Amino acid sequence: MEDLRAHNRYPCITNLPDLPLELIFLKLKKQVDRNSFGLTCHSFLEVQNLCQIRLYIRNYRSEWDSCMLEKLLNRFCNLQDLSLADCRRIPDSDLIKLQKIGSTLQCLSLAFCRQVTDTGIVSIASCCPLLSVICLSRCSITDSGVEVLAKSCKSLIELNLASCRDITDCGIQYISKNCRQLRALKITCCTKIVGVGLRGCSSNLAILSAGHCALDSTGVIEILSGGGLEYLNLSSPDKKSTLGKGLATIGLGYGANLKLLELQNCNFVDDNDVISISKGCPLLKEWDLSYCTKVGLRGWESIGLYCQKLQILHLNGCGEFCDRGLLSLGNGCKRMSVIYMANCSRITSDGISAFKLQRQDVKIETNLDMGTIFPRWRFTWPFAKCFWF
């Protein structure tokens, strides 16, 4: 009898209501502790399932298990971030199942889901009204799918359409008109895009990756028309591109807010382009001019003179980069911290020594592993600490 009274006086933790258990669960920072919490009893497992907001499903097998997706969505009904990246066999018909979590889903990745077409996008657009981040890289979609997505999910802030090769400027125009909160757009390897689809884009657009595209001179102006770009990647333009004819316009007031600029493998860039950009982009912190083989001493001198906030400069493979150019950078660019300059045949050991006497605070990096200056996208990281299946 005494044991029963004691039991009533000190109730078991497993009999606590859900709210205190949720607060306890959310205090657990390590994933191993959260997993152990769910193994305690059924009520703890239910709380864990309700608190799970991120899920990464991987499936490299030749066959796709539709039942698995349905079971997981039934189990985790409050998901905010879902990645189906690399589920290459997932069909359009399975995407309608997202309606189970459509009221909470905000971030979705379908990267490399090659069987996802416009039909699947229609399902997503109809059942996920709160969607703000979506990755559709390498999906088999067209302008029609982009139109439906843009008109239904107007709260998008990040969109990845990399390697969606059937998308044209028509599809991009739907995004420009409807998704006025969009902050980041990736259209890398969309070779049918020339840039005019971004005409009148919102000033909220701060990140644009458009490498390997067929951009033309008019497209460059439209890309910058919003005035808010802070990161711009125009590297390795497609062979059909006429980008070179309008590159200098970046420095004519259109790119005044740019902080990171990638022009790698733009071998048409010359001194005049660099001078214009140096003068017109005073906020630049990092600039990639790797393999821009036509830039000479006048270009390096202009960078040293005008780019007073520049911290990192990529010059790998710049055949005209010489000792005098290196010293010009040292005389200016007071905030410079790193210069990448592998395969610069005109740079001598004497030139590097003279530079080091002048600027001991700057690191000279001569290997080709230069990393990336690409800013962190939300859908590249939220799945780092979540369940994987």
Side-chain angles (χ1 to χ4, degrees), residues 141-371:
I141 61 174
T142 69
D143 291 341
S144 297
V146 173
E147 179 183 7
V148 172
L149 183 69
K151 290 181 177 179
S152 300
C153 302
K154 296 186 177 182
S155 296
L156 284 177
I157 57 173
E158 295 185 15
L159 175 60
N160 187 339
L161 297 172
S163 298
C164 295
R165 298 182 182 273
D166 290 325
I167 293 176
T168 70
D169 285 277
C170 182
I172 300 302
Q173 188 63 55
Y174 293 127
I175 297 168
S176 297
K177 287 183 177 180
N178 294 282
C179 303
R180 304 301 289 177
Q181 298 180 46
L182 193 71
R183 187 175 184 275
L185 175 63
K186 187 172 184 179
I187 52 175
T188 304
C189 295
C190 294
T191 53
K192 294 182 180 180
I193 294 176
V194 300
V196 294
L198 284 163
R199 181 181 294 116
C201 60
S202 168
S203 59
N204 289 320
L205 186 63
I207 298 172
L208 177 66
S209 182
H212 300 274
C213 290
L215 303 178
D216 61 18
S217 54
T218 303
V220 174
I221 297 175
E222 304 300 353
I223 280 173
L224 295 160
S225 61
L229 279 183
E230 298 179 13
Y231 168 87
L232 177 61
N233 178 5
L234 301 176
S235 295
S236 305
D238 185 78
K239 60 183 180 181
K240 300 188 295 294
S241 172
T242 57
L243 173 63
K245 296 179 180 179
L247 197 61
T249 58
I250 294 176
L252 300 180
Y254 295 100
N257 289 317
L258 281 175
K259 296 178 182 177
L260 299 94
L261 179 60
E262 287 201 63
L263 299 176
Q264 184 180 149
N265 289 319
C266 293
N267 54 15
F268 45 78
V269 174
D270 59 21
D271 286 341
N272 292 329
D273 296 324
V274 172
I275 292 170
S276 176
I277 294 172
S278 298
K279 290 181 178 179
C281 302
L283 301 182
L284 272 181
K285 292 183 177 180
E286 189 165 0
W287 194 354
D288 190 345
L289 285 165
S290 297
Y291 304 101
C292 294
T293 55
K294 293 183 180 179
V295 181
L297 182 59
R298 290 173 56 235
W300 313 129
E301 289 176 340
S302 69
I303 293 175
L305 183 61
Y306 298 109
C307 297
Q308 295 305 305
K309 294 190 176 182
L310 194 66
Q311 299 173 12
I312 303 174
L313 186 59
H314 302 255
L315 301 176
N316 292 332
C318 291
E320 295 300 313
F321 187 47
C322 60
D323 291 346
R324 286 182 61 190
L326 180 59
L327 292 176
S328 296
L329 296 175
N331 288 328
C333 300
K334 299 304 181 183
R335 299 189 183 184
M336 186 78 74
S337 61
V338 182
I339 301 177
Y340 294 92
M341 41 184 250
N343 295 339
C344 294
S345 58
R346 296 187 62 186
I347 295 292
T348 67
S349 56
D350 290 340
I352 293 177
S353 297
F355 178 84
K356 281 296 184 182
L357 289 174
Q358 180 185 28
R359 296 292 301 273
Q360 295 183 6
D361 57 321
V362 180
K363 180 181 180 181
I364 299 294
E365 186 61 69
T366 57
N367 66 61
L368 284 174
D369 185 17
M370 61 184 182

Side-chain angles (χ1 to χ4, degrees), residues 12-133:
C12 177
I13 190 173
T14 57
N15 293 326
L16 287 174
D18 285 350
L19 182 56
L21 288 176
E22 288 179 17
L23 295 175
I24 294 172
F25 177 81
L26 294 174
K27 289 290 185 180
L28 302 176
K29 300 303 180 183
K30 296 182 179 180
Q31 188 62 53
V32 62
D33 292 333
R34 292 192 167 198
N35 291 341
S36 298
F37 181 95
L39 295 174
T40 305
C41 64
H42 286 295
S43 59
F44 277 37
L45 180 61
E46 290 178 5
V47 169
Q48 180 186 17
N49 292 342
L50 290 173
C51 291
Q52 185 67 35
I53 61 172
R54 297 187 179 113
L55 179 65
Y56 199 153
I57 301 174
R58 294 187 299 182
N59 187 297
Y60 299 111
R61 295 172 295 181
S62 58
E63 297 298 327
W64 168 252
D65 187 351
S66 297
C67 294
M68 177 191 68
L69 177 62
E70 187 165 9
K71 289 177 181 178
L72 289 173
L73 295 181
N74 285 331
R75 176 181 173 185
F76 305 116
C77 56
N78 290 323
L79 290 178
Q80 296 177 14
D81 298 341
L82 173 64
S83 177
L84 297 168
D86 285 312
C87 295
R88 305 189 181 195
R89 296 284 183 175
I90 185 171
D92 286 330
S93 56
D94 271 11
L95 296 179
I96 195 63
K97 296 175 183 177
L98 296 182
Q99 63 187 355
K100 295 178 182 293
I101 57 170
S103 61
T104 59
L105 191 64
Q106 299 175 25
C107 179
L108 175 65
S109 178
L110 292 170
F112 298 95
C113 296
R114 300 178 187 274
Q115 294 191 21
V116 172
T117 69
D118 294 341
T119 302
I121 300 302
V122 171
S123 297
I124 293 169
S126 64
C127 64
C128 302
L130 300 181
L131 204 61
S132 60
V133 177

